[in-house]
Amino acid sequence: MTSDPALPLDPDTAADPAALARAVARQRAELERLRDEAATTAVVERAKGALMAADGRSADAAHHELVRRARTGDRTLLEECWLTLGALEQPRRESGGNPDRDALRSAAASGTGDIADVLGAVGRDLVRVGSPQELAACLLRHLTPETGADAVMLYERLPEGGIELLGHAGIAPTFAAQWHRIPPLTGVAPLEALTEGEPRWLEDLAKDREHYLLVDDPPDRWRSRAWLPVPGGSASKVALGVLRGEERPFTSRERRLLRAVARLCAGRLRAFDARPDGHDDGPQPVQSVLDALPGAAILLCPMRSASGEVEDYRIEAAAPEAVDVFGRTGQDMVGSRILESYPSVAGEALWDGYLQALTTKVPFESEPFAYHDTVDGVPVTATYSVRAAPLDGGLLVTWLRHDPAELQEQRLADVQRLGNLGWANWNLATGESAWSAQTYAVLGLDPAAGPVPLDRLPRLVAADDTDTLTRAITELTTTATPFDLPFRVHTERGVRHLRIVAEAVTEPDGTPVEVHGFVQDLTAQRSAELALVESERAMLLQRGVLQAERALAGRLQHALLPLPRKPVRLAGLRVEVAYLPAQSGIQVGGDWFSAIELPDDQALFVVGDVAGHGIDAVATMAQLRFTAKGMVSTGSSLAGALARLNQLLLHSRDALTTATMILARYDPRTRVLSWTQAGHPPPLLVRGTEVRYVTRPRGILLGASAEPVFESAELRLEPGDRLLLYTDGLVERPGESLDTALSRLAATVRAQGREGAGSLDALLASLLADERRDDVCVVDVRVPSAEE
């Protein structure tokens, strides 16, 4: 035995993943070669031992005989060893020859060399077979292309009679569980094949059904089948079954092949009976322990691929009380694989938990989970909790199946806990009482003290609720009148608001004999209701105060800011004014205007907007309005008037109050409008077909700075001109920029001019179709045309 020596890693390349992968691949390949060589050596030694026992020859002579037969039959040494192990019977028959072996060798030497090729391939694969289940899968893989096999079954004769399924491939786990053990009945083809030592060829379904008990899933699935005894000494113990979906006779070649395969399996099946070292099977001590323990437990042996990855688990031992979802118990489960029996486990949390426990050596405990499968076409669902603990390279798995009664109790407990309620029963005839655990928690009582009798229940409640509950209980126990009452109890956590619902079970004559009911903790709900009532009361009070303030402010505003009912003439100009309060909210705003004629026959136009709402805004508006009129009337310049108004706001009660404003004075002799502004939107000028905003002179809003700069500008008005002075409520919309709002106002005015509907009412109706969120104040100044 040779192998490539391991080369030291270069420090510069030690971290190269590709180099590490190549090294691991070489090591895995070498490991597989060594495993195959070891398995081959074991097969050769067993074949030599069989010849030595049969013919009394030495070890060297037995080896030379095997080599000679292999050369003569044009077979490999391994193939010849498997043929020898399958053909030789132990003990040897009294007759000098071995008919089975001679027939096998004759078939291999005749014109059926292709059979020898198939047997050689089967023999090579049998090296890796580790259980009857794997043996069945191996046979199905090779026999399907040769004979059309759809399934393979291996049955073993039981000492007490009957047969038991050793391994299978191509059939469903539920079907295997149903036909796992067959009693010693007549008309069982595999049992007859074992008893008489001859194959049973079932090739006519209608006739075979009259003579044999046929295993099928679904009915008529396998329309032809063969049952062959596997040679094993004076009497065969194992029957090989090959099942096909097509109904046709087995050809002579197929029969010879199946006989040869059955003999080939004999040696491998004997290898399962005892380990080469002569010791008992590893799981046997574990099985002895599990046999003595209660509960459901199995021992799983991981089945690994050539790369070492876990591909499946085989059940090596099982406790008698272990029951799976298919109803299999104890030994019926031994030998089956997890993924073959429970394929839906793959990729689930349980499968990952098995791998985690196997890798980390830390036990895995699952949360309760539902397993879904189908048995005989009927959906089956069961809920399990599983624990897997590492044990000598395998996993000891225990599980608990939650039956419907346990689940119902758990769900009832969850409902009581989540709903914060508990049930209670009182038997009026015997005086016995029963409460759920949640009832004690709701009432704040110690469960150790036991249930409280029904007639003593009013002693637990608050004094104000005692009489009501007493009357309700009396009516319930005398006339069976149910009740649903709220009440309060005093506990260590304070006053609790509870609810009790109860009804009576009566005799045929109407006499109450038992009371059923529940109590529920409504403290959180009641506290929320009380808080909501208190909040509503406070809101109503606040709303009343605000409505009163609005009414007062509205009357004050109307008194301070009377609106003319029709357009007025000032200094030769036609002036129309509109004021529209906001529709949302209950407070009035601080928008205002002035349009008066000065002593020197000039006209003064003022539009302003005080920040805020309510009485304070109205008061500030009145102060600014009358002060501005007074200062301009007494000769103050427009910019000087704004500067003094700014100082007035800075020294007012609320130094944080701000306001915007436009002051404009019109001289009819020169038709010049002198004006200044403090942070206010620009006036809109309409001249013929031109609609534009007048450029604003510098000026910031009032109350924002102690040293503001206010400048004046002049605008000469022409006959037919229209000038709009307005507050921001006319144009502003939520989420819209001021530039967009001003563009919409100009476009609306331009459109109305083309349509000839330039009235102020039409303009307001078009712009304020939606709900107004702010007050709107507009002063519409028009210069009469030459015709007017």
Side-chain angles (χ1 to χ4, degrees):
M1 181 185 306
T2 61
S3 62
D4 296 334
L7 299 177
L9 293 175
D10 189 332
D12 295 334
T13 63
D16 184 7
L20 292 176
R22 288 192 295 271
V24 170
R26 288 196 301 270
Q27 293 173 359
R28 287 178 176 173
E30 177 65 14
L31 180 60
E32 292 297 329
R33 187 185 67 78
L34 293 175
R35 285 178 177 173
D36 291 347
E37 187 171 326
T40 302
T41 302
V43 174
V44 173
E45 292 300 322
R46 288 200 296 272
K48 288 167 57 178
L51 286 179
M52 292 167 62
D55 300 331
R57 68 186 72 194
S58 65
D60 290 339
H63 181 75
H64 289 309
E65 176 64 14
L66 290 173
V67 172
R68 185 191 65 80
R69 293 179 181 179
R71 289 175 180 173
T72 302
D74 194 19
R75 293 184 289 273
T76 65
L77 178 60
L78 180 62
E79 293 170 358
E80 185 61 40
C81 289
W82 278 117
L83 291 172
T84 300
L85 289 173
L88 289 175
E89 296 182 356
Q90 298 176 355
R92 186 178 183 183
R93 294 181 179 179
E94 295 181 0
S95 60
N98 191 325
D100 292 334
R101 181 187 59 191
D102 295 340
L104 175 64
R105 296 174 63 184
S106 175
S110 64
T112 57
D114 59 331
I115 293 181
D117 294 338
V118 176
L119 295 178
V122 174
R124 285 190 296 272
D125 282 355
L126 288 181
V127 175
R128 297 179 178 274
V129 169
S131 69
Q133 189 76 8
E134 295 180 9
L135 175 60
C138 176
L139 295 179
L140 180 62
R141 187 166 59 253
H142 287 280
L143 294 179
T144 297
E146 300 294 334
T147 65
D150 294 309
V152 169
M153 301 178 72
L154 293 170
Y155 272 106
E156 181 183 25
R157 185 202 303 267
L158 298 175
E160 65 274 13
I163 54 177
E164 183 178 56
L165 188 63
L166 275 182
H168 60 85
I171 64 175
T174 53
F175 177 74
Q178 292 171 348
W179 294 94
H180 182 74
R181 182 170 297 180
I182 302 177
L185 304 173
T186 59
V188 178
L191 189 57
E192 285 190 5
L194 291 175
T195 302
E196 300 182 10
E198 291 294 333
R200 289 292 180 267
W201 308 97
L202 282 63
E203 302 164 324
D204 188 329
L205 184 62
K207 293 181 179 180
D208 294 336
R209 194 178 300 281
E210 297 176 359
H211 299 89
Y212 294 103
L213 174 64
L214 301 182
V215 294
D216 272 317
D217 179 30
D220 300 341
R221 175 182 177 182
W222 295 301
R223 307 186 67 83
S224 62
R225 64 198 78 194
W227 291 100
L228 303 96
V230 176
S234 59
S236 298
K237 293 177 55 180
V238 177
L240 168 63
V242 177
L243 295 79
R244 304 187 304 187
E246 56 180 337
E247 184 176 1
R248 64 175 178 83
F250 287 88
T251 65
S252 59
R253 177 188 178 278
E254 291 172 344
R255 294 194 178 198
R256 291 196 301 272
L257 175 61
L258 292 179
R259 288 177 183 270
V261 168
R263 294 184 179 90
L264 193 61
C265 293
R268 195 55 184 150
L269 286 171
R270 283 199 296 271
F272 298 148
D273 295 336
R275 296 173 61 178
D277 56 7
H279 295 290
D280 293 336
D281 292 342
Q284 186 59 39
V286 178
Q287 182 64 63
S288 301
V289 173
L290 295 182
D291 288 340
L293 292 178
I298 57 175
L299 176 63
L300 296 183
C301 176
M303 305 182 66
R304 301 181 182 273
S305 64
S307 62
E309 300 291 334
V310 176
E311 294 181 332
D312 204 345
Y313 296 90
R314 184 173 57 249
I315 300 178
E316 297 288 352
E321 295 185 11
V323 181
D324 67 2
V325 70
F326 305 114
R328 294 181 297 185
T329 60
Q331 289 295 322
D332 295 341
M333 302 168 60
V334 175
S336 60
R337 297 187 182 186
I338 293 299
L339 292 185
E340 289 182 355
S341 301
Y342 321 104
S344 62
V345 172
E348 297 295 330
L350 182 62
W351 182 264
D352 296 337
Y354 283 173
L355 293 177
Q356 176 185 348
L358 201 61
T359 304
T360 64
K361 308 301 181 184
V362 177
F364 161 75
E365 295 187 8
S366 76
E367 297 291 334
F369 67 93
Y371 179 83
H372 306 278
D373 215 311
T374 302
V375 179
D376 294 335
V378 179
V380 175
T381 300
T383 302
Y384 294 92
S385 296
V386 177
R387 185 180 190 273
L391 178 63
D392 193 23
L395 291 175
L396 182 62
V397 178
T398 58
W399 67 88
L400 175 64
R401 180 169 179 169
H402 303 282
D403 60 29
E406 292 176 346
L407 291 177
Q408 193 68 18
E409 291 180 2
Q410 181 62 41
R411 290 167 182 165
L412 179 59
D414 291 341
V415 169
Q416 293 183 77
R417 176 178 53 83
L418 296 175
N420 206 3
L421 57 84
W423 58 263
N425 289 340
W426 291 274
N427 192 312
L428 303 181
T430 63
E432 297 178 349
S433 303
W435 287 6
S436 68
Q438 192 66 24
T439 302
Y440 294 98
V442 170
L443 293 173
L445 300 178
D446 184 3
V452 175
L454 184 60
D455 57 351
R456 295 176 56 187
L457 194 61
R459 301 181 184 181
L460 303 178
V461 307
D464 294 343
D465 301 328
T466 301
D467 293 341
T468 303
L469 183 57
T470 301
R471 286 193 301 270
I473 292 176
T474 301
E475 293 180 1
L476 176 66
T477 56
T478 56
T479 63
T481 303
F483 63 81
D484 182 348
L485 293 176
F487 66 96
R488 293 161 295 171
V489 296
H490 295 279
T491 66
E492 295 179 354
R493 296 179 295 173
V495 177
R496 313 294 296 174
H497 294 269
L498 308 181
R499 172 195 181 200
I500 181 171
V501 179
E503 63 179 6
V505 179
T506 63
E507 294 283 7
D509 61 358
T511 303
V513 293
E514 192 171 357
V515 173
H516 300 162
F518 69 85
V519 290
Q520 184 178 15
D521 190 344
L522 302 178
T523 303
Q525 176 182 340
R526 184 58 177 164
S527 298
E529 291 174 352
L530 293 176
L532 180 61
V533 170
E534 185 63 28
S535 176
E536 290 178 349
R537 183 183 297 112
M539 290 176 59
L540 290 174
L541 179 61
Q542 181 67 17
R543 186 176 183 85
V545 172
L546 293 177
Q547 287 177 339
E549 180 179 339
R550 176 183 174 85
L552 176 61
R555 288 194 296 270
L556 178 61
Q557 186 183 52
H558 183 71
L560 298 175
L561 197 65
L563 289 174
R565 297 182 178 180
K566 58 182 180 178
V568 296
R569 291 280 183 173
L570 292 177
L573 301 175
R574 180 181 180 273
V575 180
E576 189 174 1
V577 179
Y579 177 83
L580 302 174
Q583 292 176 327
S584 61
I586 60 174
Q587 290 187 324
V588 297
D591 292 22
W592 55 281
F593 71 93
S594 285
I596 60 174
E597 190 168 339
L598 298 176
D600 55 358
D601 296 331
Q602 296 186 6
L604 175 66
F605 302 104
V606 186
V607 175
D609 185 359
V610 177
H613 295 80
I615 293 179
D616 291 340
V618 174
T620 303
M621 175 271 292
Q623 188 178 27
L624 293 176
R625 181 171 185 265
F626 290 112
T627 303
K629 289 169 58 177
M631 286 188 296
V632 175
S633 299
T634 56
S636 295
S637 66
L638 299 180
L642 285 182
R644 291 185 179 88
L645 292 175
N646 183 73
Q647 292 296 321
L648 178 65
L649 281 185
L650 289 177
H651 294 86
S652 63
R653 269 186 323 175
D654 187 359
L656 298 179
T657 301
T658 59
T660 65
M661 183 183 300
I662 284 182
L663 283 177
R665 181 164 46 197
Y666 175 72
D667 187 349
R669 292 181 294 273
T670 60
R671 295 204 304 274
V672 173
L673 180 76
S674 302
W675 68 291
T676 186
Q677 63 89 27
H680 204 83
L684 181 65
L685 176 65
V686 180
R687 176 171 292 168
T689 59
E690 180 187 10
V691 178
R692 64 179 177 88
Y693 289 100
V694 181
T695 304
R696 297 185 303 171
R698 284 203 303 170
I700 63 174
L701 53 85
L702 303 176
S705 172
E707 297 180 356
V709 175
F710 296 107
E711 295 181 351
S712 298
E714 291 185 348
L715 174 66
R716 182 179 180 82
L717 297 180
E718 301 293 339
D721 283 353
R722 181 185 184 186
L723 187 68
L724 289 177
L725 308 177
Y726 53 91
T727 58
D728 56 9
L730 179 67
V731 294
E732 287 186 349
R733 298 292 183 273
E736 187 179 64
S737 66
L738 181 59
D739 291 341
T740 301
L742 294 176
S743 298
R744 186 180 62 256
L745 172 60
T748 303
V749 172
R750 185 178 297 108
Q752 288 186 343
R754 288 195 300 268
E755 296 170 359
S759 68
L760 181 58
D761 290 340
L763 176 64
L764 295 177
S766 178
L767 287 173
L768 304 177
D770 299 331
E771 181 184 32
R772 295 186 300 277
R773 298 175 179 268
D774 197 2
D775 295 351
V776 176
C777 184
V778 182
V779 176
D780 187 359
V781 178
R782 299 180 186 239
V783 180
S785 61
E787 293 79 7
E788 295 175 334

